[in-house]
Amino acid sequence: MKRRFEKMHGLGNDFVIFDARETPLEMDGATARALADRHTGVGCDQLIVIEPSQIADLRMRIWNADGGEVEACGNASRCVALLAGGHSRIETAGGVIQGEALDGAAEVDMGTPRFGWDEIPLAYPLDTAAMPVGWEDLHGPAAVNVGNPHVVFFVDDSGAVDLARLGPAIETDPLFPDRVNVNVASLDGGAIRLRVWERGAGLTQACGTGACATAVAAIRRKLAASPVDIRLPGGTLTISWRPGESIRMRGAATHVFTGEVAL
Ligand SMILES: N[C@H](CCC[C@H](N)C(=O)O)C(=O)O
């Protein structure tokens, strides 16, 4: 059976999005992995299925390119908010988020960050503001859960880090029982330069939840003030957050084409 999908991206972090609100769509990890494959499938970093929700305007389910279903995806949240139009409440496994469609962009309230070692989660108690752990030249990171798990390293030059090698080693370290998204950040005037090795997807052009986690970690360490621009390889996201508040993320969301695929 052929199913229509929307190909979209948020600053180059790209998605195949199925709208299953009218016609149910059974998705599983193997199918998601096959569709995400850039050689034999459609190709994307994450696969998204929009479903009806009992508690919000719609439900967004997220599969990484490796086929793992996960709790949050910031860039896809902006794309879904753009598709939904106006203001929308979006149910995700990481919590209900609120989107506002703008012109070629969206702003999403991503909820409040969590810092408890068991909320990241970590395998054992550590100070998540500055963990006493290291991998070669990367050490002393923060850990933040913004619906999904992130570890954030602040370095002098994020561009000089061999993230393709260190990312997977950290992603799969036993310290992170659910694995983790790996962020390396550098101060850039009042902004922050960020590169991300994504859990289940690898190096991406941008990571919305990574930008949120990094902004929160930087503000907590007084390395930046809200609102802070996060400069990713694919473009810039503006993150606003103060302790005790929810995180607001604003940035581009782009529709590329509508396609069909046999499922
Ligand atoms: N790789 C992430 C999901 C996608 C996050 C990223 N694409 C974003 O925009 O937030 C995880 O496994 O938690």
Side-chain angles (χ1 to χ4, degrees):
M1 176 187 175
K2 280 193 177 287
R3 281 301 292 253
R4 170 177 157 159
F5 65 84
E6 307 303 332
K7 187 71 171 44
M8 299 186 75
H9 71 87
L11 305 183
N13 179 203
D14 67 333
F15 313 106
V16 167
I17 303 177
F18 293 100
D19 190 342
R21 285 177 286 182
E22 305 295 328
T23 311
L25 174 62
E26 279 303 309
M27 185 54 62
D28 58 62
T31 305
R33 191 167 57 246
L35 286 166
D37 190 300
R38 296 191 187 282
H39 301 287
T40 58
V42 180
C44 57
D45 291 328
Q46 279 86 26
L47 186 102
I48 307 295
V49 177
I50 301 171
E51 298 180 343
S53 168
Q54 303 297 320
I55 60 171
D57 297 311
L58 52 91
R59 179 186 184 200
M60 174 173 94
R61 296 180 69 185
I62 307 150
W63 283 264
N64 279 319
D66 72 352
E69 186 171 4
V70 293
E71 316 91 333
C73 181
N75 287 318
S77 302
R78 293 198 315 282
C79 291
V80 169
L82 191 67
L83 286 178
H87 287 79
S88 55
R89 297 181 72 249
I90 303 170
E91 175 191 355
T92 71
V96 176
I97 58 178
Q98 323 227 10
E100 178 186 4
L102 305 168
D103 178 15
E107 178 160 311
V108 178
D109 178 324
M110 293 293 288
T112 52
R114 285 168 288 161
F115 306 109
W117 69 271
D118 51 346
E119 295 176 299
I120 302 302
L122 304 179
Y124 45 82
L126 285 177
D127 173 9
T128 59
M131 299 198 290
V133 295
W135 291 264
E136 298 184 16
D137 294 345
L138 297 179
H139 42 79
V144 189
N145 186 294
V146 291
N148 57 355
H150 287 266
V151 65
V152 183
F153 297 89
F154 290 98
V155 298
D156 291 338
D157 177 4
S158 58
V161 174
D162 187 357
L163 195 51
R165 182 173 62 81
L166 287 169
I170 299 167
E171 173 194 355
T172 57
D173 192 287
L175 173 59
F176 306 105
D178 292 352
R179 295 165 36 208
V180 75
N181 295 285
V182 184
N183 299 268
V184 290
S186 304
L187 303 186
D188 187 8
I192 293 176
R193 195 164 295 285
L194 176 64
R195 293 172 62 226
V196 186
W197 173 272
E198 285 199 29
R199 175 181 63 170
L203 289 172
T204 58
Q205 285 293 302
C207 180
T209 50
C212 292
T214 298
V216 165
I219 292 165
R220 288 185 94 201
R221 289 193 182 183
K222 301 192 179 359
L223 297 175
S226 177
V228 54
D229 282 349
I230 306 290
R231 296 180 179 147
L232 296 130
T236 297
L237 291 172
T238 301
I239 312 294
S240 303
W241 177 75
R242 287 187 176 76
E245 293 181 358
S246 62
I247 307 165
R248 300 190 68 77
M249 166 190 58
R250 176 184 283 239
T254 307
H255 182 270
V256 184
F257 66 84
T258 299
E260 266 196 349
V261 65
L263 283 182

